[in-house]
Amino acid sequence: MAEFSKRNASHVKGILNLTIPLSESLVWILGQYLWQLGLSTESRRPMEDGQRVRYYRLNTFDVEFIQKVLDYRQRQREDRERKRQESLERDAAYAARMQAQYGIEIMQRGRGAEAQRGKLVQTSPLPPCSYAFFIAVHTPH
């Protein structure tokens, strides 16, 4: 991971705005990635086979908090998608009513102006007007 991060340091800088110095260790680089995610580690140094070894684990409070944030964001995305689908269904029902009642095609939102450009929209002709009216505007001289 350290070698990958160092080889792709310019991409990491561009995407995460995180500078990876070539002289830093894997533990430091991993700590920076975790910090970007809002996570931290806890460590302990037990004695094994006459040597001190350091074990790292994620801070459980950070993990719980991040999981709540991710769950909340997922619910927000699902709510937005549900509302978007409901809106599309309402628009389609409205367009169908207008087509059935008046014989006109309604351009629906979401299709985009580019998709509608050049399409012929059918409308029922207006009945001929049996009278004409004029508006006279007098302006002072």
Side-chain angles (χ1 to χ4, degrees):
M1 184 175 103
E3 289 304 316
F4 177 84
S5 298
K6 290 174 184 178
R7 271 195 322 271
N8 296 292
S10 63
H11 298 294
V12 172
K13 176 68 175 174
I15 295 169
L16 298 176
N17 196 24
L18 174 64
T19 302
I20 304 290
L22 298 178
S23 61
E24 289 297 340
S25 69
L26 170 61
V27 174
W28 184 89
I29 294 170
L30 178 60
Q32 294 302 305
Y33 286 140
L34 291 174
W35 178 77
Q36 288 279 323
L37 294 170
L39 298 170
S40 63
T41 58
E42 300 169 343
S43 66
R44 61 185 180 92
R45 293 185 66 172
M47 189 69 106
E48 287 185 8
D49 297 330
Q51 297 182 22
R52 289 227 178 255
V53 178
R54 186 173 294 251
Y55 289 100
Y56 293 91
R57 68 178 184 172
L58 291 174
N59 182 324
T60 54
F61 295 114
D62 289 347
V63 172
E64 290 170 4
F65 176 74
I66 294 298
Q67 188 61 51
K68 288 177 184 176
V69 169
L70 292 174
D71 291 343
Y72 172 78
R73 289 179 180 174
Q74 181 63 32
R75 283 193 310 275
Q76 294 294 91
R77 279 193 295 275
E78 290 168 355
D79 287 347
R80 279 193 304 272
E81 179 60 22
R82 181 183 46 78
K83 288 177 184 177
R84 188 183 73 77
Q85 285 297 329
E86 289 171 356
S87 176
L88 289 174
E89 290 169 6
R90 273 193 314 272
D91 291 349
Y94 175 76
R97 283 194 311 273
M98 292 298 108
Q99 176 68 32
Q101 189 171 1
Y102 301 110
I104 57 173
E105 184 178 323
I106 304 294
M107 293 188 339
Q108 295 181 7
R109 287 184 291 165
R111 289 188 183 175
E114 296 81 21
Q116 294 295 323
R117 198 170 289 136
K119 288 188 177 178
L120 182 61
V121 177
Q122 288 184 334
T123 60
S124 56
L126 294 174
C129 186
S130 60
Y131 58 90
F133 61 91
F134 297 94
I135 299 174
V137 177
H138 297 283
T139 57
H141 293 278

